[in-house]
Amino acid sequence: MRKEMSLINKYKKGMKNLKVTTFLFTIIILVSGCYKDNIMFEPDDIEVPVLEIKGNIENFFSAVAEQPISSSFNAEEGIQIITPNQTVIQVFENSLVDQSGNLVQGDVNFSYLEILNAPEYAFYNLPTISDGIRLRTEGVFRFEAYQDGKPLAFKDGKGIVVRLPDNEPESDMQLFYGDESGDRFNWVPVNESNTGVNPRLEITEWFFQVDSLEQDFVEGFGYLFTCDLFKWINVDIFADVAPEDKTEVCVELPEIYTNKNTVVFMYFDGRASILGLYPDADNMNWCESYGATPIGYDITLFSISDQGEDTYHFGLEETKVTKDLRVFIEPEEKSLDEILEVIKSLE
């Protein structure tokens, strides 16, 4: 009897083990089936939207650059112009030659630009920098002369005489000409070898007759200098500080802004100085790469972007320079007139 009961117990135990094994086998089959289904599943392709870069910043520069003020005069008589700033521009008689070096006779078309507000240098992409050293500016000029549509030049030793009024002139001011030949604009100190004119900048006063018929006189005090045609000319002073007092400044912009459609500037509040920031692709930001920015200065950072179809974006941030300053700017859509108004109002 005991032997029979032992056999029955072994049978029940064996059946129980068989049921457990069967259950586990079923689970494995189900899981394997699901795993196989997962491997075989092919999801629909997901399209990642492509970031569209629109616009060209050259459209902005073309839209805002002021037309030069033009006039005509007889080359054998010369011309004297008084600008709205009371700057005196003088071209002497018989001082112009044509492309063959012949003395010009007859009427000449003459034009000039006078830009005295440093923030407006941004309209022409003219940062105040000379070989990595920051400058403080008194004014930028550009002169052109044509006859029958052909550019003219000055004969040796001649040039345009400019009298720029300034009640508090500085003896260390120098003349610089704009060098646009490289990847970045640079101001180069004037000397006779690179401009052909006297590089000296004098501090003097003047008083002379403007019109012999009306007996008009002009008087002033400030800078007197001679410059050439078809060059950007700047009256500047070096404004460098000790290396330990300088730092780099960077601006981060959203991805739609690139060097093709955007420019970024840093204006030094109240100091007549403006620098351009350049894109740094590795770090995805825009930096004043010279490291010429003095720590502790109040600055205004602003970005301008052309987004095509006469659409512009503008961003601005006022701050104080700290060591390795990083600033994020989120531009907004602005009209061209609104952008110009804000930049011109910077002090």
Side-chain angles (χ1 to χ4, degrees):
M1 186 68 176
R2 289 181 180 177
K3 186 176 181 181
E4 290 178 351
M5 289 299 296
S6 177
L7 289 173
I8 291 171
N9 288 336
K10 286 182 178 180
Y11 174 76
K12 289 181 177 180
K13 186 176 182 180
M15 291 300 294
K16 184 177 180 181
N17 290 338
L18 177 62
K19 288 180 180 179
V20 171
T21 303
T22 303
F23 175 76
L24 291 175
F25 180 76
T26 303
I27 293 298
I28 291 171
I29 293 296
L30 290 173
V31 170
S32 298
C34 292
Y35 180 73
K36 184 177 180 181
D37 288 344
N38 286 337
I39 292 297
M40 297 301 292
F41 177 68
E42 296 181 2
D44 295 335
D45 292 336
I46 300 175
E47 293 186 5
V48 178
V50 177
L51 186 66
E52 184 181 5
I53 304 299
K54 298 183 292 184
N56 188 326
I57 193 59
E58 293 302 324
N59 295 332
F60 169 80
F61 292 127
S62 298
V64 301
E66 293 185 11
Q67 291 299 313
I69 298 174
S70 299
S71 57
S72 296
F73 68 95
N74 189 301
E76 298 160 90
E77 298 176 358
I79 190 172
Q80 192 168 267
I81 298 171
I82 312 297
T83 76
N85 179 59
Q86 294 300 298
T87 300
V88 182
I89 299 169
Q90 191 170 15
V91 179
F92 289 100
E93 64 275 6
N94 297 315
S95 60
L96 292 166
V97 296
D98 60 23
Q99 293 173 314
S100 299
N102 301 315
L103 196 65
V104 174
Q105 297 179 332
D107 288 341
V108 168
N109 295 317
F110 179 78
S111 61
Y112 74 91
L113 276 172
E114 179 184 41
I115 313 164
L116 303 178
N117 185 24
E120 295 180 38
Y121 291 9
F123 302 158
Y124 303 88
N125 206 9
L126 302 174
T128 54
I129 196 83
S130 177
D131 294 330
I133 301 175
R134 187 175 60 88
L135 302 170
R136 179 163 50 80
T137 182
E138 286 290 334
V140 166
F141 298 85
R142 186 179 178 91
F143 304 99
E144 298 181 356
Y146 297 88
Q147 187 175 63
D148 299 327
K150 297 178 181 179
L152 303 178
F154 282 108
K155 65 182 183 181
D156 291 344
K158 296 294 183 179
I160 300 166
V161 176
V162 179
R163 295 172 173 86
L164 173 63
D166 191 318
N167 292 328
E168 298 179 353
E170 299 178 70
S171 59
D172 291 333
M173 281 287 176
Q174 297 177 232
L175 283 183
F176 294 77
Y177 82 91
D179 181 6
E180 303 177 80
S181 61
D183 294 336
R184 300 181 182 182
F185 185 90
N186 187 50
W187 290 107
V188 179
V190 167
N191 58 61
E192 289 192 53
S193 64
N194 60 31
T195 64
V197 298
N198 186 347
R200 187 175 60 177
L201 187 147
E202 302 177 35
I203 296 176
T204 186
E205 57 182 343
W206 51 87
F207 181 84
F208 52 87
Q209 188 170 320
V210 178
D211 191 319
S212 59
L213 296 178
E214 298 183 9
Q215 297 295 307
D216 285 341
F217 292 87
V218 62
E219 62 180 316
F221 175 72
Y223 302 104
L224 183 148
F225 57 92
T226 303
C227 57
D228 208 348
L229 293 165
F230 303 104
K231 291 181 182 290
W232 288 107
I233 297 293
N234 200 352
V235 178
D236 285 294
I237 190 169
F238 284 108
D240 203 15
V241 297
E244 62 271 20
D245 295 329
K246 294 186 290 186
T247 190
E248 185 184 72
V249 173
C250 292
V251 167
E252 183 182 350
L253 296 172
E255 292 183 0
I256 65 170
Y257 304 107
T258 72
N259 61 332
K260 180 177 178 174
N261 61 18
T262 303
V263 286
V264 182
F265 290 96
M266 173 170 53
Y267 176 65
F268 294 83
D269 299 348
R271 298 179 185 272
S273 186
I274 185 169
L275 297 182
L277 277 65
Y278 296 92
D280 179 352
D282 293 337
N283 296 308
M284 299 294 291
N285 54 25
W286 301 66
C287 294
E288 185 276 282
S289 56
Y290 302 102
T293 304
I295 296 172
Y297 279 27
D298 293 323
I299 59 172
T300 300
L301 295 158
F302 60 92
S303 66
I304 310 164
S305 182
D306 171 68
Q307 291 293 306
E309 300 180 353
D310 295 325
T311 300
Y312 300 97
H313 290 183
F314 182 74
L316 183 144
E317 184 73 27
E318 297 177 335
T319 187
K320 184 182 290 289
V321 179
T322 56
K323 185 71 174 176
D324 298 324
L325 179 64
R326 300 292 185 271
V327 176
F328 178 77
I329 294 179
E330 183 74 58
E332 300 176 350
E333 183 173 337
K334 297 280 187 183
S335 71
L336 195 60
D337 288 342
E338 288 175 323
I339 294 173
L340 299 186
E341 182 178 356
V342 171
I343 294 176
K344 288 181 178 180
S345 68
L346 296 178
E347 298 179 354

